[in-house]
Amino acid sequence: MRQKIVAGNWKMNNTIEEGKKLTSEIVDMVNKEGVDDVKVIIAPPAPYLSTVVGLTDGANNVEVSAQNCNEHESGAYTGEVSVSMLNSIDVKYAIIGHSERREYFHETNEQLSKKVDALLKSGLTPIFCCGETLSTRENGNHFEYVSNQLSEGLFHLGEEDFKKVVIAYEPIWAIGTGVTASSEQAQEMHAVLRKHLSSKYGTEIANNTSILYGGSCKPDNAKELFACEDVDGGLIGGASLKAKDFVDIVKSF
Ligand code: 13P
């Protein structure tokens, strides 16, 4: 059985006070709702990670993720956060290769593959993002383009390491636009990606890999998206900033 996951990516939003309130509300609601079969992940901005880890400590099924990490162990990389720093404050996940990082910070698949290595070496779980632009989709190259992101970012991994990775498909044209992929479009891409994983790692490993959908996922469309056979949850941006909306998405399974 694949792990169902709903992860909230706050991006560069919230003050520390707002972040504390949001975290506490999410923890309370998740505990009350008893959604034990879904792993809930909160990805706050880096300065709040330690606080959010503290607030989720002991909470049922709520984990904390960084939004990024540096691929180097330590050293003269001003402004960056290493995996060992994340590990030292009990952060268990890191979002890697979000399209905003690929676009604004010029992250390449090669660099992302090193970030993945650094995370796995320290026992953290990468949430590896992939997704195409609208023009790539309109040109009909989207399946090949996204499959290639997985090949270049992840396919250097051996089976045991690969099994620990979570994948998030986020079509760039759906992020923050209010235009979500239809459930058919999401399912179609997820199935293509799972087949691609299977060609490298075999059916069993591919069938056990969680592939999340991200891009304007909201309480009113999550149910339909999560009902798709190959969609194992969501990576949520805007709707993760309101506790009720986020937990309603968690409850959509
Ligand atoms: P939105 O849900 O705001 O479209 O953002 C999706 C996203 O980028 C999550 O990482």
Side-chain angles (χ1 to χ4, degrees):
M1 266 286 276
R2 295 194 279 276
Q3 175 70 58
K4 295 173 190 163
I5 299 170
V6 176
N9 175 10
W10 295 0
K11 308 193 180 183
M12 200 172 72
N13 291 298
N14 284 332
T15 62
I16 183 67
E17 288 310 322
E18 288 164 345
K20 279 160 62 174
K21 183 166 174 279
L22 178 56
T23 304
S24 302
E25 286 172 357
I26 291 169
V27 167
D28 281 354
M29 287 185 202
V30 167
N31 280 345
K32 233 177 258 155
E33 299 292 343
V35 273
D36 292 343
D37 56 338
V38 185
K39 187 166 288 296
V40 177
I41 300 175
I42 302 175
Y48 311 158
L49 281 168
S50 201
T51 304
V52 173
V53 167
L55 290 171
T56 54
D57 192 27
N60 221 358
N61 249 350
V62 184
E63 301 280 0
V64 180
S65 173
Q67 296 178 12
N68 178 37
C69 68
N70 189 275
E71 64 273 31
H72 298 285
E73 269 188 36
S74 62
Y77 301 100
T78 301
E80 289 295 273
V81 174
S82 74
V83 173
S84 57
M85 291 172 190
L86 298 176
N87 204 17
S88 71
I89 57 166
D90 267 345
V91 170
K92 305 283 187 222
Y93 294 79
I95 298 170
I96 293 299
H98 191 282
S99 60
E100 287 148 18
R101 295 215 55 90
R102 291 175 186 261
E103 181 180 354
Y104 306 135
F105 303 98
H106 313 295
E107 293 188 345
T108 62
N109 287 326
E110 192 195 343
Q111 183 186 12
L112 299 174
S113 71
K114 293 183 183 142
K115 294 188 183 210
V116 167
D117 289 344
L119 287 164
L120 290 170
K121 197 170 152 200
S122 289
L124 277 81
T125 300
I127 303 174
F128 186 89
C129 299
C130 55
E132 81 286 358
T133 60
L134 187 58
S135 66
T136 304
R137 177 167 280 264
E138 285 172 347
N139 290 335
N141 296 331
H142 46 304
F143 296 131
E144 192 184 19
Y145 182 85
V146 180
S147 297
N148 188 54
Q149 289 180 318
L150 300 190
S151 304
E152 291 189 0
L154 297 172
F155 280 13
H156 64 291
L157 297 174
E159 288 186 0
E160 288 312 307
D161 273 339
F162 180 78
K163 282 185 195 168
K164 297 168 191 151
V165 173
V166 172
I167 290 169
Y169 167 61
E170 299 202 303
I172 296 169
W173 46 272
I175 296 177
T177 59
V179 181
T180 185
S182 66
S183 51
E184 290 80 15
Q185 286 171 318
Q187 168 56 27
E188 191 182 27
M189 178 62 84
H190 283 227
V192 166
L193 296 182
R194 201 176 300 288
K195 195 160 170 232
H196 187 55
L197 300 182
S198 159
S199 72
K200 169 75 180 171
Y201 293 105
T203 316
E204 192 184 337
I205 291 179
N207 282 344
N208 282 316
T209 303
S210 296
I211 307 180
L212 316 183
Y213 168 80
S216 299
C217 186
K218 311 267 183 243
D220 61 4
N221 59 28
K223 204 170 188 147
E224 196 180 330
L225 287 161
F226 295 173
C228 297
E229 191 185 335
D230 287 290
V231 176
D232 307 309
L235 181 53
I236 319 299
S240 74
L241 299 173
K242 290 200 178 111
K244 184 171 181 316
D245 284 357
F246 183 59
V247 177
D248 278 349
I249 292 174
V250 174
K251 281 163 40 189
S252 298
F253 267 113

